[in-house]
Amino acid sequence: MSDTWVILGASSAVARAFAREAASHGAALVLAGRDMEDLEHQAADLAIRYGVPAMPLRFEARDLATHAGFVAECRRRAGDGLLNVFLAFGVMPDQAAADADPEVAAGMVEANFTGAASVLGALAPVLEAQRGGTVVALGSVAGDRGRKRNFLYGATKAALLVYLQGYAARLSGAGVRVLCIKAGPVDTGMTWALPKLPFMASPRGFAAAAWQRAGKGGGSAYLPGIWWPVMTIIRLLPTPIFNKLNI
Amino acid sequence: MPDTLAAPAATRPTGWKQVSLQGWGRSSLSPCLAARPERLRELHAALDAPEGRTLIAHGGGRSYGDAALNTDGAVVVTGRLDRILGFDPATGELVAEPGVTFADLLEVFLPRGFIAPVSPGTSHVTLGGALANDVHGKNHHHAGSFGEHVLWFDLLLPDGRMQRVSPESDPALFQATVGGIGLTGIVAALCLRLTRVPSNALAVSRRRVRNLDGFLAAFEAAAGATWSVGWIDALAGGASLGRGVLETAEPSEARVESRPPRARRFPVDAPGWLLNGLSVRAFNELYWRRVPAAGQQATVPYRQFLYPLDAIDGWNRMYGKQGFRQFQCVVPPGPGEAALRRLLETVAAGGNASFLAVLKVMGRDGPGMLSFGMPGYSLALDIPARPGSEAIFTQLERITRDSGGRIYLAKDSLLSAEGFAAMYPRAGEFRAVRERVDPQRRLSSDMARRIGL
Ligand SMILES: Cc1cc2nc3c(=O)[nH]c(=O)nc-3n(C[C@H](O)[C@H](O)[C@H](O)COP(=O)(O)OP(=O)(O)OC[C@H]3O[C@@H](n4cnc5c(N)ncnc54)[C@H](O)[C@@H]3O)c2cc1C
Ligand SMILES: NC(=O)c1ccc[n+]([C@@H]2O[C@H](COP(=O)([O-])OP(=O)(O)OC[C@H]3O[C@@H](n4cnc5c(N)ncnc54)[C@H](OP(=O)(O)O)[C@@H]3O)[C@@H](O)[C@H]2O)c1
C-alpha cells in the first residue's frame, strides 16, 4: 500500500503543484477543500497524469465540529499506508479590510490559525498511532516580524509556527516529522493582483523544493532559500528604522 | 458559525492587474488589465471585466502578432487551467482544460503511445490557443488542421452560459469557434482525439534542394510522407532562389533513448546589429551545408522533430528589443507557384535578414470559418522590426492576395481589413455567429479591431 498525502486546501495553486509532485512520486492523494467541482477535476488530472488514486473530500477549516469526522475519513481512505499531511489553506485579506471589519479579522484568524490548530489536533492521535509520516504546513515570511502591510496575517502565521513547534515536539517520539515552511511570495491567485513582489517563486518550483525539503526532515525552512538572509536582516533591523520602512 | 459560510464559497473577487503584454514577435507593447483564473469557477467570474472593458482569452502567448492582445481592454490568461479531465486509451480521446499544452501531452501520453494528431512548431502552445487558430503541423497534407480532431468543446459564452459544442450540435458555432481567434467565447474544456504511434521516435530523412522548382517537385514526390517540411534560405537569390533542405518523416518502430529536455535560455535582448545580413547569411549557409549532398537519415525523438525551436527558451529575444514580425501565407497551387517566387524575391531583394523560411504543402480547407488552411503551399518567414520594415508587408500582402492566397492570423500583426475581407470569404458567416452569441461585442482584441471584425 502506497503512502497517502492529505492535501488540506487542495485548490490552492501551491497545493495543486505539491499534489502533482507527490503523485509523481507515487503517492495516493486525498484532496481536501471546498470547491468540490475543482477537486473532482484535479483528482482526474492526477489519476491520468500519474496513475495514482486521488479522492476529493470536503473540508471547511472554520467548521471545527466536522474535523474529527474528517480525520476519521482520511484515515479510512489512506488504508494501511502511511498518512501524510500538507496544510495549505489560508486567506490573506488586506490589512485595511481586516482593520475595518472585525468579521474579516476574526475570519482570517479562524481560517489560518484556529482551523489549522483544530484539524492538526484531530490528526495528532492518528499520526502517533501510525508511528511515522510527515506533516508539512505553509507558514509565511510574514510571520517573522509584524509589518505595517499585513501584520494580522503575519500574526496568524507566527501563531501557526509556534503551534507547529510544540506539535513537532509532541510527535517526535512517534517518529512523525513536522515541517513549517516559511514561504516567500509564490505566484498564485493570492498574489496575482498585488504590486510586484520580490523573489516570486513559481508554484511548481516551490512545490518541488518543498517536497525535497520534506524528505530531509522536520523543523522550519525558508522557501525559496534566499528568504533566510533577507528575513535575518529584516528581523535584526532596529525598531525605529523598521517602523519607518514602508514594507 | 458565521452565516457568511452558508454562501457558496465564492472565494476572493477576481484579481485584475495592470500588465503590459506582447505577442511572440515582441514588436509592440499592449497595456491591459489581466485576470488569471486558477480554476473553472474563477474563469466564470473573470467574464465580468471591470469598467465595461472588452475581453479576450490569452493562452500561451505564442501568437506572433496581436490575436491575443487587447490594448486598454482586458485579457483572461488561461494557462493555469491545465487539468487533464479524461482519457480513454481505447479510442485516444482526451478531455482537457484549455491551458494544457502540447508539452504536457508529449510528457503524459507519448510514453503510452499517443501523440497530438496535429502539432504546431512549439510545444508551449495551449490547446485553447491551438483551437482558436485552428493550428496545423508538418502533417497538414495528411491530417488536416487541429479542429478536425476536436470532437467537442465547452464554450463559456460572453453572456455567462456554458455550452457544449460539437460539429453536430451547433455546426455554425463550432465552425466559428475553430479558428475564431477567441471571439466567440472562452473554451473551458475540449475533447481531442490523439493519434497512436509505435514508439517515441520518428525516422527522418533530409536532403538538399537546389531551388524553388526543385522544392515543388520534391514535395510532389514526397506526397506520401506522413510529415514533411522545407527549410528555405530566404537570403539566397538568383538561380538559388528557394534553395533549402527538405525534411520528411515517418513514425519509427524503434525507440530512441531520449533525455528529458533541458532548454537553454536566450539570456538577453540581442543588440540590433547581431542580425545583419552577413550573420544570417552565414547561419543559413551552414544549415544548408550541414546536410550532406547525398542526404541524411536519422531516428530522432518526436520532441526534437516537432519542436526544434524549443531547445532555446526565449529565442525571440534574438531579434533584439525592437522585436520582429512573422509573415505566413498559403497560396493555391498553380498561381501560387509564381507567387512564392515573387514573395521570396521581395524578401531577398529587401535584404531583410530572415532566418530560415518554412515551406509546407497544405492539404485541404480547415473546418473553421476563419481557418487558415487551404490546398496549396504555405510560406513562413521572420522579418526583424526595423524602421521601414512594415512596407515590405504591404508588398507581401498584395502578392498573396493577388494569387488567391491568405495570410495566417496566428502570425499576423499588419494585415489590412480589406486584405482580410478578400482572403477570408466566410467572414460574413462568422460575423453572423458573433452577432448571435455576442451581440454586445464584449469580446474583442487588437486583431479583431484591426481587421474589421
Ligand atoms: C515557434 C513557433 C512555432 C509555431 N509553429 C506553428 C505551426 O507550425 N503551425 C501553426 O499553426 N502555428 C504555429 N505557431 C503559432 C501558434 O501555434 C498559434 O499562434 C497558437 O494559436 C498559439 O497558441 P497559444 O496557446 O500561445 O495562444 P495565444 O497566442 O495566447 O492565443 C491565440 C489565440 O487563441 C485565443 N485563445 C487562447 N485560449 C483560448 C481559449 N481558452 N478559448 C478561446 N480562445 C482562446 C486567443 O484569444 C487568441 O486569439 C507557432 C508559434 C511559434 C511561437
Ligand atoms: N502565495 C504566496 O505568496 C504565499 C506566501 C506565503 C504563504 N502562503 C500560504 O500558502 C498557502 C497557499 O496559498 P496560495 O497562495 O496557494 O493561495 P490560494 O490559492 O488562495 O489558496 C488558499 C486555499 O485555502 C483555502 N481555504 C481558505 N479558507 C479556507 C477554509 N476556511 N476552509 C478550507 N479551505 C480554505 C482556499 O479554498 P477555496 O478555494 O475553497 O477558497 C484556497 O484553496 C496559504 O496558507 C498562504 O497563506 C502563500
Side-chain angles (χ1 to χ4, degrees), chain A residues 11-13 16 20 34-38 41-42 44-51 60 62-64 103 110 187-194 202-204, chain B residues 1-2 4-5 9 11-12 15-17 19 34-36 38-42 77 80-87 94-95 97 100 104 107-109 112:
Chain A
S11 290
S12 122
R16 248 158 54 218
R20 283 188 178 169
R34 306 186 290 188
D35 185 342
M36 297 316 285
E37 174 190 58
D38 178 56
H41 289 178
Q42 268 195 69
D45 180 78
L46 293 164
I48 294 167
R49 285 181 192 253
Y50 305 104
E60 166 57 69
R62 292 166 69 187
D63 196 354
L64 309 183
E103 286 291 326
E110 267 177 50
D187 186 12
T188 69
M190 192 178 266
T191 50
W192 170 256
L194 300 180
S202 73
R204 194 174 180 174
Chain B
M1 289 226 322
T4 47
L5 289 184
T11 38
R12 74 189 129 239
W16 291 97
K17 129 166 128 179
V19 297
R36 188 185 60 189
E38 297 276 348
R39 45 187 140 137
L40 196 56
R41 182 185 289 179
E42 294 180 1
V77 179
R80 289 288 167 98
L81 306 171
D82 69 346
R83 294 142 186 94
I84 296 173
L85 301 174
F87 181 65
L94 164 82
V95 180
E97 289 187 339
V100 169
D104 291 327
E107 181 187 319
V108 177
F109 295 108
R112 300 175 208 182

